[in-house]
Each structure stands twice: as C-alpha cells, then as structure tokens.
Amino acid sequence: MEFEHDVVRQRYLGRIDGEVVTSLDYAVAGTVISMTRTFTNPPFRGRGYAGEITAHAVAEAEAAGRTIRPTCWYVAQWFDEHPDRAHLLA
C-alpha cells in the first residue's frame, strides 16, 4: 500500500494501484494529534488496511514528537491491541 499525507485536509490516504482504499482523518492542537476517523471502502474491508494506515499515522506522529488522542473507536482499539505504543497517548 502507498500512503499519502494530505496536510491541508489533515488526512492520510492509503492507495493500492492508485485507488484510495482507506483513510484516516485527524486534527492538530499543539503537540497533540486527535485521530478522529478511519474509513475503508466497503469492497476492501476485512483486509487489515485500517490497521496499516493507523500504524503509519502513529509512526509519523511519533517521529514528529507528537502525542495522540484516539477519538475514533478504531484507533482506540488499535492502541488497546498495541500496548507497546501506549507511551504515545495524550
């Protein structure tokens, strides 16, 4: 999967063969990123793409020295499943 970070729209996109299959929206307040929504197009659900884009966005937030507030249920669940990343929670 190829990832695109649209800073203006505050959105990550995941593409396969040029087609957007998943996205993650966020909002920034200082050093905290609120990850507000994940979406996977229905034909592509159940393949782990939301998890891949979440992992990518979390890695970028960590590299930028930010903490994360998971306001999207899926992102919150992702952190529950990855307790080794809990130090990034705001």
Side-chain angles (χ1 to χ4, degrees):
M1 179 178 320
E2 294 179 14
F3 297 106
E4 175 185 336
H5 185 187
D6 185 338
V7 177
V8 173
R9 291 191 173 122
Q10 297 187 326
R11 174 177 292 160
Y12 286 93
L13 300 172
R15 297 179 187 269
I16 295 177
D17 296 327
E19 183 175 0
V20 174
V21 297
T22 190
S23 63
L24 184 147
D25 296 339
Y26 65 91
V28 177
T31 61
V32 178
I33 296 179
S34 294
M35 294 187 177
T36 59
R37 176 180 176 265
T38 56
F39 178 78
T40 301
N41 289 323
F44 299 98
R45 290 182 180 163
R47 301 180 192 183
Y49 297 143
E52 286 185 42
I53 201 163
T54 299
H56 178 78
V58 167
E60 285 208 351
E62 182 176 30
R66 298 182 184 267
T67 57
I68 299 164
R69 180 173 294 123
T71 58
C72 165
W73 71 267
Y74 182 86
V75 176
Q77 178 180 303
W78 187 92
F79 273 99
D80 288 345
E81 295 170 358
H82 297 86
D84 58 309
R85 311 298 275 168
H87 66 281
L88 297 172
L89 294 171

